[in-house]
Short mmCIF file of all heavy atoms in Angstrom, two decimals:
data_model
loop_
_atom_site.label_atom_id
_atom_site.label_comp_id
_atom_site.label_asym_id
_atom_site.label_seq_id
_atom_site.Cartn_x
_atom_site.Cartn_y
_atom_site.Cartn_z
N ARG A 1 70.73 149.76 -25.57
CA ARG A 1 71.32 151.04 -25.23
C ARG A 1 72.76 150.84 -24.77
O ARG A 1 73.03 149.92 -23.99
CB ARG A 1 70.53 151.72 -24.09
CG ARG A 1 69.18 152.27 -24.50
CD ARG A 1 68.49 152.89 -23.28
NE ARG A 1 69.24 154.01 -22.73
CZ ARG A 1 69.11 155.27 -23.12
NH1 ARG A 1 68.26 155.58 -24.08
NH2 ARG A 1 69.81 156.22 -22.55
N PHE A 2 73.65 151.69 -25.27
CA PHE A 2 75.03 151.76 -24.80
C PHE A 2 75.20 153.09 -24.06
O PHE A 2 75.02 154.15 -24.66
CB PHE A 2 76.01 151.67 -25.97
CG PHE A 2 76.04 150.35 -26.68
CD1 PHE A 2 75.26 150.16 -27.83
CD2 PHE A 2 76.84 149.31 -26.23
CE1 PHE A 2 75.29 148.95 -28.49
CE2 PHE A 2 76.86 148.09 -26.89
CZ PHE A 2 76.09 147.91 -28.03
N GLU A 3 75.54 153.02 -22.78
CA GLU A 3 75.67 154.22 -21.96
C GLU A 3 77.06 154.31 -21.38
O GLU A 3 77.53 153.41 -20.69
CB GLU A 3 74.64 154.19 -20.81
CG GLU A 3 73.21 154.09 -21.29
CD GLU A 3 72.23 153.88 -20.14
OE1 GLU A 3 72.70 153.73 -19.00
OE2 GLU A 3 71.02 153.88 -20.38
N GLN A 4 77.75 155.41 -21.66
CA GLN A 4 79.09 155.67 -21.14
C GLN A 4 80.07 154.50 -21.40
O GLN A 4 80.84 154.11 -20.51
CB GLN A 4 79.06 156.01 -19.64
CG GLN A 4 78.26 157.27 -19.30
CD GLN A 4 76.80 156.97 -19.03
OE1 GLN A 4 76.48 156.06 -18.27
NE2 GLN A 4 75.91 157.74 -19.63
N CYS A 5 80.02 153.95 -22.57
CA CYS A 5 80.89 152.83 -22.93
C CYS A 5 82.07 153.32 -23.76
O CYS A 5 81.96 154.32 -24.50
CB CYS A 5 80.11 151.76 -23.69
SG CYS A 5 78.89 150.87 -22.71
N ARG A 6 83.21 152.58 -23.71
CA ARG A 6 84.38 152.90 -24.53
C ARG A 6 84.66 151.71 -25.43
O ARG A 6 84.71 150.56 -24.98
CB ARG A 6 85.59 153.19 -23.65
CG ARG A 6 85.52 154.46 -22.84
CD ARG A 6 86.80 154.65 -22.05
NE ARG A 6 87.95 154.79 -22.95
CZ ARG A 6 89.22 154.60 -22.58
NH1 ARG A 6 89.48 154.21 -21.34
NH2 ARG A 6 90.19 154.76 -23.45
N PHE A 7 84.86 152.02 -26.70
CA PHE A 7 85.24 151.02 -27.69
C PHE A 7 86.60 151.42 -28.27
O PHE A 7 86.73 152.50 -28.85
CB PHE A 7 84.21 150.94 -28.82
CG PHE A 7 82.84 150.53 -28.38
CD1 PHE A 7 81.91 151.48 -27.93
CD2 PHE A 7 82.45 149.22 -28.43
CE1 PHE A 7 80.65 151.11 -27.54
CE2 PHE A 7 81.17 148.83 -28.01
CZ PHE A 7 80.26 149.78 -27.57
N ILE A 8 87.59 150.57 -28.11
CA ILE A 8 88.94 150.86 -28.61
C ILE A 8 89.29 149.81 -29.66
O ILE A 8 89.41 148.63 -29.35
CB ILE A 8 89.97 150.83 -27.48
CG1 ILE A 8 89.62 151.83 -26.38
CG2 ILE A 8 91.37 151.12 -28.03
CD1 ILE A 8 90.50 151.75 -25.15
N GLY A 9 89.40 150.25 -30.90
CA GLY A 9 89.77 149.33 -31.97
C GLY A 9 88.78 148.22 -32.20
O GLY A 9 89.17 147.10 -32.57
N CYS A 10 87.50 148.46 -32.00
CA CYS A 10 86.47 147.42 -32.14
C CYS A 10 85.84 147.44 -33.53
O CYS A 10 85.87 148.44 -34.23
CB CYS A 10 85.38 147.60 -31.08
SG CYS A 10 85.96 147.34 -29.39
N THR A 11 85.26 146.31 -33.90
CA THR A 11 84.57 146.20 -35.17
C THR A 11 83.15 145.67 -34.96
O THR A 11 82.90 144.86 -34.08
CB THR A 11 85.31 145.22 -36.13
OG1 THR A 11 85.29 143.91 -35.58
CG2 THR A 11 86.73 145.66 -36.34
N MET A 12 82.24 146.20 -35.81
CA MET A 12 80.88 145.69 -35.88
C MET A 12 80.52 145.46 -37.35
O MET A 12 79.38 145.65 -37.78
CB MET A 12 79.89 146.68 -35.24
CG MET A 12 80.04 146.83 -33.74
SD MET A 12 78.74 147.92 -33.05
CE MET A 12 79.18 147.87 -31.30
N ASP A 13 81.51 145.07 -38.13
CA ASP A 13 81.32 144.88 -39.56
C ASP A 13 80.18 143.90 -39.85
O ASP A 13 80.06 142.86 -39.18
CB ASP A 13 82.61 144.38 -40.21
CG ASP A 13 83.75 145.38 -40.10
OD1 ASP A 13 83.47 146.55 -39.81
OD2 ASP A 13 84.91 144.98 -40.34
N LYS A 14 79.35 144.25 -40.83
CA LYS A 14 78.23 143.40 -41.28
C LYS A 14 77.26 143.09 -40.16
O LYS A 14 76.49 142.13 -40.23
CB LYS A 14 78.75 142.11 -41.90
CG LYS A 14 79.59 142.34 -43.14
CD LYS A 14 80.02 141.02 -43.77
CE LYS A 14 80.83 141.25 -45.03
NZ LYS A 14 81.27 140.00 -45.67
N GLY A 15 77.27 143.92 -39.13
CA GLY A 15 76.31 143.75 -38.04
C GLY A 15 74.97 144.40 -38.34
O GLY A 15 74.81 145.09 -39.36
N TRP A 16 73.99 144.16 -37.49
CA TRP A 16 72.68 144.78 -37.62
C TRP A 16 72.35 145.48 -36.31
O TRP A 16 72.22 144.84 -35.27
CB TRP A 16 71.62 143.72 -37.95
CG TRP A 16 70.25 144.31 -38.20
CD1 TRP A 16 69.98 145.58 -38.66
CD2 TRP A 16 68.96 143.70 -37.98
NE1 TRP A 16 68.61 145.77 -38.76
CE2 TRP A 16 67.97 144.64 -38.35
CE3 TRP A 16 68.59 142.43 -37.52
CZ2 TRP A 16 66.60 144.34 -38.27
CZ3 TRP A 16 67.24 142.15 -37.45
CH2 TRP A 16 66.26 143.11 -37.81
N LEU A 17 72.22 146.81 -36.40
CA LEU A 17 71.83 147.62 -35.26
C LEU A 17 70.41 148.11 -35.52
O LEU A 17 70.18 148.95 -36.39
CB LEU A 17 72.78 148.80 -35.08
CG LEU A 17 74.11 148.52 -34.38
CD1 LEU A 17 74.99 147.56 -35.18
CD2 LEU A 17 74.86 149.80 -34.10
N ASN A 18 69.46 147.59 -34.76
CA ASN A 18 68.04 147.90 -34.95
C ASN A 18 67.49 148.46 -33.64
O ASN A 18 67.45 147.76 -32.63
CB ASN A 18 67.31 146.62 -35.37
CG ASN A 18 65.83 146.84 -35.57
OD1 ASN A 18 65.01 145.99 -35.28
ND2 ASN A 18 65.45 148.00 -36.09
N ARG A 19 67.08 149.72 -33.68
CA ARG A 19 66.61 150.44 -32.48
C ARG A 19 67.71 150.39 -31.41
O ARG A 19 67.56 149.74 -30.37
CB ARG A 19 65.29 149.85 -31.96
CG ARG A 19 64.14 150.02 -32.96
CD ARG A 19 62.79 149.70 -32.33
NE ARG A 19 62.72 148.33 -31.85
CZ ARG A 19 62.32 147.31 -32.60
NH1 ARG A 19 61.99 147.48 -33.87
NH2 ARG A 19 62.30 146.08 -32.09
N VAL A 20 68.77 151.13 -31.69
CA VAL A 20 69.97 151.17 -30.82
C VAL A 20 70.27 152.62 -30.48
O VAL A 20 70.23 153.49 -31.35
CB VAL A 20 71.18 150.50 -31.49
CG1 VAL A 20 72.45 150.75 -30.67
CG2 VAL A 20 70.95 149.00 -31.65
N ASP A 21 70.55 152.89 -29.20
CA ASP A 21 70.90 154.23 -28.73
C ASP A 21 72.28 154.21 -28.09
O ASP A 21 72.58 153.30 -27.31
CB ASP A 21 69.88 154.74 -27.71
CG ASP A 21 68.46 154.76 -28.26
OD1 ASP A 21 68.29 155.14 -29.42
OD2 ASP A 21 67.54 154.39 -27.49
N LEU A 22 73.10 155.21 -28.41
CA LEU A 22 74.40 155.39 -27.77
C LEU A 22 74.40 156.72 -27.06
O LEU A 22 74.06 157.76 -27.66
CB LEU A 22 75.53 155.33 -28.81
CG LEU A 22 75.74 154.02 -29.55
CD1 LEU A 22 74.97 154.06 -30.89
CD2 LEU A 22 77.21 153.78 -29.83
N ARG A 23 74.82 156.73 -25.81
CA ARG A 23 74.86 157.95 -25.03
C ARG A 23 76.21 158.07 -24.33
O ARG A 23 76.64 157.18 -23.60
CB ARG A 23 73.74 157.95 -23.95
CG ARG A 23 72.32 157.91 -24.52
CD ARG A 23 71.98 159.22 -25.23
NE ARG A 23 70.62 159.22 -25.74
CZ ARG A 23 70.28 158.84 -26.96
NH1 ARG A 23 71.24 158.38 -27.79
NH2 ARG A 23 69.04 158.88 -27.37
N ASP A 24 76.89 159.20 -24.56
CA ASP A 24 78.19 159.49 -23.93
C ASP A 24 79.19 158.36 -24.13
O ASP A 24 79.89 157.95 -23.21
CB ASP A 24 78.00 159.73 -22.42
CG ASP A 24 77.23 161.01 -22.14
OD1 ASP A 24 77.65 162.08 -22.62
OD2 ASP A 24 76.20 160.92 -21.44
N CYS A 25 79.24 157.84 -25.33
CA CYS A 25 80.16 156.75 -25.65
C CYS A 25 81.37 157.27 -26.39
O CYS A 25 81.29 158.23 -27.16
CB CYS A 25 79.48 155.66 -26.47
SG CYS A 25 78.21 154.74 -25.57
N SER A 26 82.51 156.60 -26.21
CA SER A 26 83.73 156.92 -26.94
C SER A 26 84.06 155.73 -27.84
O SER A 26 84.33 154.64 -27.32
CB SER A 26 84.86 157.19 -25.97
OG SER A 26 86.10 157.39 -26.67
N ALA A 27 84.04 155.95 -29.15
CA ALA A 27 84.28 154.84 -30.07
C ALA A 27 85.07 155.30 -31.29
O ALA A 27 84.65 155.08 -32.43
CB ALA A 27 82.96 154.20 -30.50
N PRO A 28 86.21 156.00 -31.09
CA PRO A 28 86.98 156.42 -32.24
C PRO A 28 87.50 155.25 -33.03
O PRO A 28 87.99 154.27 -32.47
CB PRO A 28 88.13 157.22 -31.61
CG PRO A 28 88.25 156.69 -30.22
CD PRO A 28 86.86 156.33 -29.81
N GLY A 29 87.33 155.33 -34.36
CA GLY A 29 87.82 154.24 -35.20
C GLY A 29 86.93 153.01 -35.25
O GLY A 29 87.30 152.01 -35.85
#
């Protein structure tokens, strides 16, 4: 779970997200 997290210019290319929840997150781009 990601809760109230900020991602600025981040990459998750070729990653695997399995049973993942995002709540109130800011991740433009």
Side-chain angles (χ1 to χ4, degrees):
R1 287 178 61 89
F2 292 95
E3 301 172 355
Q4 298 90 48
C5 292
R6 292 182 62 200
F7 298 87
I8 302 173
C10 294
T11 64
M12 293 184 179
D13 296 344
K14 298 184 179 179
W16 184 28
L17 280 65
N18 180 216
R19 296 192 299 271
V20 170
D21 302 320
L22 296 94
R23 297 291 182 268
D24 293 304
C25 292
S26 175

